[in-house]
């Protein structure tokens, strides 16, 4: 059975808005002056100056996975406080950055019954614990399975997360969605795509001026599955170079149905993570981002 996570919504109590407003830092400075040629021997009293300095705290849903781990790593590197909520808890990806992330495992929450079957890795999100103090939520939740399962994980789980973030006053929500590959409408009616588009609609509805939907195609990098490392970069990196070099020849073909299954440029997982960082840090970033726009957003973030 395909494993997936779902986020049923508990009763929510909105904490004071001040939890989620920009944090103010107080600085104490000593000021003095003297006219030219005059020695000022007085001791001036320090003056408290309040400066508006924002400290980001990001909650990454699915942060222990392939894409989620890359986002957590990039965020830590940029000095952002990170909380990850996922089925497995702590990631298996290596690096000193791992110790700087707060890892919360869904297994610590009760198992729930969904429809007519039980799902062993479903977790109950204690939003009071997870979302407090957050300035943004990034969702990498997604998966494959039956149409019903894909609608739940890609759609309903994300919808619940968006609603919880909004109720708790989180100012920004960033969703990892998917490129439509120029597929015909009957193929886009599958649970995978309909779930993703339902989640997109919820983000853009609840966060019209700050919600971000990223639509990548194939994301490559070194992906771990059941303890084994799959070097997707051996396929994705050369393919990206070939498509970039032949873009002038292949662009006329992009209008053909399903042509993007072959022609949509891949995106490296690190590049995608930088696009997310750009969305977190730039308050003017919102709306739907195509593959090309994802690459442009990533380029704006200093490595």
């Amino acid at each position: 059975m395909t494993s997936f996570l779902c986020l049923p919504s508990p009763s929510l109590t909105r904490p004071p808005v001040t939890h989620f407003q920009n944090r103010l830092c107080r600085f104490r400075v000593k000021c003095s002056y003297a006219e030219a040629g005059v020695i000022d021997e007085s001791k001036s009293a320090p003056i408290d100056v309040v400066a508006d300095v924002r400290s980001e705290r990001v909650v990454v849903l699915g942060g222990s996975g392939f894409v989620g781990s890359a986002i957590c790593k990039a965020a830590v590197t940029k000095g952002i406080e990170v909380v990850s909520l996922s089925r497995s808890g702590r990631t298996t990806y290596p690096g000193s950055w791992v110790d700087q992330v707060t890892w919360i495992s869904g297994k610590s929450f009760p198992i729930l019954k969904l429809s007519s079957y039980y799902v062993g890795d479903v977790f109950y999100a204690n939003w009071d614990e997870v979302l407090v103090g957050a300035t943004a939520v990034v969702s990498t939740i997604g998966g494959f399975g039956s149409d019903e399962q894909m609608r739940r994980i890609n759609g309903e789980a994300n919808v619940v997360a968006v609603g919880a973030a909004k109720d708790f006053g989180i100012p920004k929500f960033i969703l990892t969605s998917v490129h439509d590959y120029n597929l015909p409408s009957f193929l886009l009616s599958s649970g995978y795509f309909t779930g993703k588009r339902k989640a997109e609609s919820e983000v853009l509805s609840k966060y019209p001026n700050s919600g971000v939907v990223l639509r990548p195609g194939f994301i490559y990098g070194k992906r771990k599955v059941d303890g084994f490392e799959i070097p997707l970069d051996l396929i994705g990196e050369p393919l990206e170079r070939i498509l970039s070099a032949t873009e002038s020849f292949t662009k006329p073909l992009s209008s053909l149905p399903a042509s993007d299954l072959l022609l949509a440029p891949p995106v490296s997982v690190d590049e995608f993570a930088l696009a997310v960082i750009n969305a977190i840090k730039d308050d003017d970033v919102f709306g739907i981002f195509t593959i090309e726009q994802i690459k442009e957003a990533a380029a704006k973030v200093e490595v």
Side-chain angles (χ1 to χ4, degrees):
M1 177 177 62
T2 301
S3 64
F4 64 96
L5 28 98
C6 184
L7 308 175
S9 176
S11 58
L12 301 176
T13 302
R14 182 183 298 182
V17 176
T18 53
H19 265 304
F20 309 103
Q21 293 174 334
N22 293 345
R23 301 171 188 176
L24 300 181
C25 297
R26 184 177 297 275
F27 298 91
R28 174 162 290 191
V29 297
K30 180 176 286 189
C31 302
S32 64
Y33 71 92
E35 295 180 2
V38 178
I39 299 176
D40 182 11
E41 296 180 348
S42 64
K43 294 183 178 179
S44 58
I47 301 174
D48 285 335
V49 178
V50 177
D52 189 4
V53 180
R54 186 173 68 181
S55 175
E56 285 106 351
R57 184 176 192 267
V58 177
V59 174
V60 181
L61 305 179
S64 63
F66 173 52
V67 175
S69 291
I71 294 171
C72 291
K73 179 181 179 181
V76 166
T77 302
K78 296 302 178 183
I80 299 172
E81 183 182 351
V82 182
V83 175
S84 167
L85 176 64
S86 62
R87 295 189 304 264
S88 58
R90 189 182 177 92
T91 186
T92 58
Y93 287 86
S96 59
W97 63 270
V98 174
D99 295 329
Q100 300 179 58
V101 176
T102 300
W103 303 99
I104 299 177
S105 172
K107 290 181 179 179
S108 64
F109 301 108
I111 302 301
L112 300 178
K113 182 179 181 182
L114 296 179
S115 187
S116 59
Y117 52 88
Y118 285 93
V119 182
D121 55 5
V122 172
F123 64 84
Y124 180 90
N126 185 348
W127 298 118
D128 292 298
E129 174 188 348
V130 176
L131 295 180
V132 63
T135 55
V137 173
V138 179
S139 176
T140 67
I141 297 174
F144 294 93
S146 68
D147 260 14
E148 182 183 1
Q149 289 173 329
M150 290 189 292
R151 280 193 295 270
R152 284 181 178 276
I153 183 61
N154 296 320
E156 294 173 20
N158 279 307
V159 167
V160 169
V162 173
K166 185 66 176 179
D167 287 342
F168 270 74
I170 312 303
K172 177 166 286 192
F173 197 102
I174 301 165
L175 175 71
T176 302
S177 189
V178 64
H179 182 57
D180 63 12
Y181 294 100
N182 202 21
L183 293 172
S185 57
F186 73 91
L187 290 177
L188 293 175
S189 63
S190 70
Y192 184 82
F193 286 101
T194 56
K196 288 286 189 182
R197 296 300 178 252
K198 182 177 181 180
E200 288 184 7
S201 178
E202 191 71 6
V203 171
L204 299 176
S205 173
K206 290 284 199 307
Y207 290 89
N209 299 313
S210 61
V212 179
V213 172
L214 301 173
R215 289 181 174 178
F218 173 52
I219 300 179
Y220 67 86
K222 289 180 170 55
R223 181 167 193 161
K224 287 189 174 182
V225 178
D226 296 330
F228 295 95
E229 187 174 84
I230 303 176
L232 297 177
D233 49 334
L234 295 182
I235 299 173
E237 193 169 350
L239 179 59
E240 184 177 17
R241 291 176 180 173
I242 292 171
L243 290 175
S244 178
T246 60
E247 183 179 7
S248 58
F249 301 101
T250 59
K251 195 168 185 178
L253 302 176
S254 61
S255 60
L256 298 176
S259 58
D260 277 357
L261 288 173
L262 296 174
L263 302 179
V267 178
S268 80
V269 69
D270 294 328
E271 187 175 32
F272 183 80
L274 290 179
V276 172
I277 299 304
N278 179 66
I280 292 170
K281 287 185 166 290
D282 191 341
D283 291 335
D284 294 327
V285 170
F286 62 93
I288 297 174
F289 280 65
T290 63
I291 296 174
E292 182 179 352
Q293 290 169 327
I294 289 171
K295 291 177 178 291
E296 291 173 354
K300 295 178 181 179
V301 181
E302 295 182 2
V303 180

